Amino acid sequence: MINLKDFNYGELERWVRQQGWKKFRAKQLAKWIYNKKAGSYDEMTDLSKEIRNYLKENTKLNALELITYEESKEDGSIKFLWRLEDGHTVETVFIPEKNHYTLCVSTQVGCAVGCTFCYTTKDGLIRNLTTAEIIDQYIQSQRFVGLDRRISNVVFMGMGEPLANYDNVKKAVQIMTDERMLGLSNRKITISSSGIIHQIKRMYEDKSFPQVRLAVSLNAADQETRTKIMPISETNTLEDLMKTLNSLPVKNGYRIMLEYVLIKDINDRPEDAHKLARLIGKNKKRYKVNLIPFNPHPGSPFERPDEERVNKFHQILWQYNIGAFVRWSKGKDISAACGQLRKKNIEGKKITFISPKSLKV
């Protein structure tokens, strides 16, 4: 049975015509699904009862079931746990910012990249999420927090490597940026990659992939260190990665974000900061560096550097006139911070749905 959230607008329009309905029905469906965030076909009151019954019998509207959520007492972040149709689970994080709201979405159940500092990868890769499962994270999260708190920013930084699920992520971005659907600004969507070089090139060469922001998990400024903490660097070397990033046709206002997780005594020394500055070299206007102090998780051998060491690293980059910012991740108290998301095993447990009416932020 098809899920309507798997369709971009062109596909939705073609499907509507295949049912023998007039073309404007696609616009109606898109309005209810993406603008009004309808949770059931019964809410679509300007569709005939006959059409609504057909939709109920032949299509799916929702791709996720909310199992539970946790709210951070420190910063108001909300971590959602969703059950997929096959019983697997994924997490999504709603992040209140100073002037806007951001949603961190997942693209895979687990992850195959194997970054040693990341909790998500402990289960390996189980499967890709469908387009509907990606999009439904946004729609159901928005419905949960209320339409008055519009989620304007989306970061593909949750569970999984987005560019390893290329086709479904591309279609999700098409839906997010289409004015007839979610209508988000391209500038406010960020795809984070561990540095799969051929997929990054593909994204920039693909005319059907809306140009959004790119973030790359760098995490070290030399090949040896990066390979130790990011095995992907064995085949996607730091040298080749930087050559690729330096050659991308990046539009004005779309600086590439270099994500750098600071791990105590691994990559956080002053000499590491100087290496990073030399690696960027003359391409300062092309990049922004996000320094992310490591977020601990169960079983990890790594530690977070102290604030003084983080600030020192930050200051060195600024001395080179590199735009660098420290991102103290939100949601640490509910294990919702960068690198802390993981598939939850809920089999055999009694799970009770928690009503959003009880949520106070």
Side-chain angles (χ1 to χ4, degrees):
M1 190 179 290
I2 65 167
N3 191 306
L4 294 184
K5 291 171 187 165
D6 275 323
F7 293 150
N8 61 27
Y9 194 82
E11 292 169 338
L12 179 62
E13 206 168 55
R14 284 193 293 274
W15 182 82
V16 161
R17 296 300 294 270
Q18 287 169 2
Q19 312 318 305
W21 303 337
K22 292 189 181 296
K23 192 176 177 179
F24 74 89
R25 295 297 185 190
K27 188 175 181 180
Q28 286 181 310
L29 285 169
K31 175 192 71 175
W32 282 107
I33 296 170
Y34 299 106
N35 185 265
K36 294 183 177 293
K37 314 292 188 297
S40 71
Y41 290 121
D42 289 328
E43 297 173 41
M44 302 180 182
T45 51
D46 56 358
L47 296 177
S48 69
K49 188 174 181 181
E50 180 184 5
I51 289 178
R52 279 181 278 160
N53 285 338
Y54 179 87
L55 290 170
K56 288 178 192 177
E57 293 171 6
N58 295 280
T59 71
K60 297 175 185 175
L61 183 58
N62 298 311
L64 308 172
E65 176 192 358
L66 179 61
I67 302 304
T68 189
Y69 68 82
E70 294 177 83
E71 177 192 356
S72 169
K73 295 179 180 179
E74 295 178 356
D75 52 54
S77 298
I78 306 168
K79 182 173 70 172
F80 299 101
L81 175 66
W82 312 102
R83 186 189 344 241
L84 311 178
E85 191 173 280
D86 58 8
H88 290 305
T89 60
V90 293
E91 295 182 324
T92 307
V93 184
F94 170 79
I95 308 166
E97 309 280 8
K98 186 176 181 181
N99 299 311
H100 64 272
Y101 300 101
T102 296
L103 194 71
C104 178
V105 301
S106 295
T107 56
Q108 296 180 309
V109 182
C111 183
V113 175
C115 299
T116 57
F117 53 85
C118 182
Y119 199 35
T120 304
T121 197
K122 298 300 181 184
D123 295 315
L125 176 64
I126 295 171
R127 70 168 176 85
N128 287 331
L129 295 186
T130 65
T131 298
E133 289 166 341
I134 297 170
I135 288 296
D136 219 16
Q137 290 174 67
Y138 179 94
I139 291 176
Q140 293 211 41
S141 297
Q142 182 68 87
R143 190 188 304 145
F144 187 97
V145 302
L147 299 183
D148 56 321
R149 293 190 289 174
R150 182 174 182 268
I151 300 168
S152 61
N153 293 49
V154 175
V155 291
F156 287 75
M157 296 182 181
M159 296 169 59
E161 161 59 62
L163 295 186
N165 187 10
Y166 186 90
D167 292 330
N168 290 333
V169 167
K170 178 174 81 169
K171 198 181 292 188
V173 173
Q174 290 172 340
I175 292 168
M176 287 178 179
T177 56
D178 194 317
E179 287 294 334
R180 297 162 295 187
M181 302 180 105
L182 286 177
L184 300 178
S185 167
N186 294 52
R187 292 176 180 270
K188 295 183 178 181
I189 296 175
T190 301
I191 292 178
S192 178
S193 174
S194 58
I196 305 177
I197 294 171
H198 74 280
Q199 292 292 66
I200 291 174
K201 290 179 179 177
R202 181 184 176 191
M203 185 176 80
Y204 276 83
E205 292 168 357
D206 188 345
K207 302 301 182 184
S208 64
F209 202 124
Q211 173 133 17
V212 293
R213 295 186 183 275
L214 173 67
V216 176
S217 293
L218 200 66
N219 304 317
D222 65 89
Q223 175 67 11
E224 183 181 358
T225 304
R226 190 169 193 265
T227 302
K228 285 180 180 177
I229 60 176
M230 297 185 70
I232 192 174
S233 199
E234 292 180 10
T235 52
N236 293 260
T237 67
L238 181 59
E239 181 182 2
D240 289 342
L241 177 60
M242 292 307 296
K243 282 181 181 177
T244 298
L245 297 181
N246 288 335
S247 66
L248 293 177
V250 178
K251 291 181 181 178
N252 289 337
Y254 282 81
R255 284 195 293 171
I256 297 169
M257 287 181 278
L258 299 179
E259 306 281 337
Y260 195 103
V261 176
L262 288 163
I263 306 171
K264 184 178 178 181
D265 297 329
I266 302 292
N267 63 358
D268 67 333
R269 297 159 299 184
E271 53 263 42
D272 294 310
H274 289 291
K275 279 184 189 177
L276 179 56
R278 289 193 294 270
L279 186 69
I280 293 171
K282 297 178 181 179
N283 296 293
K284 298 169 188 174
K285 292 184 179 179
R286 174 172 285 261
Y287 300 108
K288 180 174 80 170
V289 178
N290 277 339
L291 300 174
I292 308 167
F294 171 71
N295 295 303
H297 54 76
S300 174
F302 300 123
E303 296 180 33
R304 166 181 284 206
D306 60 41
E307 191 168 346
E308 182 180 351
R309 200 154 181 175
V310 171
N311 290 336
K312 177 64 176 176
F313 197 104
H314 185 208
Q315 289 165 7
I316 291 171
L317 294 181
W318 273 107
Q319 288 169 11
Y320 285 90
N321 295 316
I322 293 171
F325 306 86
V326 179
R327 178 151 63 90
W328 297 97
S329 300
K330 294 187 176 183
K332 295 190 302 297
D333 59 321
I334 56 171
S335 295
C338 181
Q340 291 184 326
L341 301 187
R342 191 176 181 188
K343 173 187 182 292
K344 298 295 188 297
N345 185 354
I346 59 173
E347 288 77 14
K349 295 182 180 179
K350 184 177 180 182
I351 303 295
T352 303
F353 174 74
I354 302 175
S355 169
K357 294 180 180 179
S358 64
L359 181 65
K360 295 180 181 179
V361 177

